[in-house]
């Protein structure tokens, strides 16, 4: 069970890192000096995620076709 939780945690870290690198997630903050508060906003660009997943599907299919041609 501990290995499963560790695997899920590492997978979440990888997805988060790739997401920030690819621009899927952005973080913005604004501060209010009078109230001493900071608002933090997380934005998820779902359209960018969909576009990248479609590109990944096309590349994976091309790689699969290349590998199957070489094995024949």
């Amino acid at each position: 069970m501990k290995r499963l939780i560790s695997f899920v945690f590492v997978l979440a870290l990888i997805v988060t890192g790739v997401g920030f690198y690819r621009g899927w997630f952005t973080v913005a903050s604004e501060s209010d000096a009078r109230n001493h508060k900071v608002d933090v906003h997380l934005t998820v660009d779902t359209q960018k995620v969909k576009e990248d997943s479609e590109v990944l599907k096309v590349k994976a299919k091309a790689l699969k076709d290349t590998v199957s041609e070489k094995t024949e």
Side-chain angles (χ1 to χ4, degrees):
M1 184 68 173
K2 185 178 179 181
R3 291 183 79 184
L4 177 64
I5 293 172
S6 298
F7 174 75
V8 170
F9 181 73
V10 169
L11 186 63
L13 284 176
I14 291 170
V15 168
T16 303
V18 169
F20 276 106
Y21 178 76
R22 297 290 302 160
W24 300 342
F25 313 120
T26 55
V27 177
S29 65
E30 53 185 65
S31 59
D32 186 2
R34 289 180 288 150
N35 297 330
H36 302 288
K37 294 183 179 179
V38 177
D39 291 327
V40 179
H41 303 279
L42 174 67
T43 306
V44 179
D45 188 352
T46 56
Q47 186 62 35
K48 177 74 172 157
V49 174
K50 288 178 185 177
E51 290 171 2
D52 286 350
S53 66
E54 290 300 320
V55 169
L56 184 62
K57 287 178 187 176
V58 170
K59 287 184 179 182
K61 183 175 180 342
L63 181 63
K64 179 187 146 219
D65 292 344
T66 304
V67 169
S68 64
E69 286 175 4
K70 287 184 179 181
T71 57
E72 291 179 351

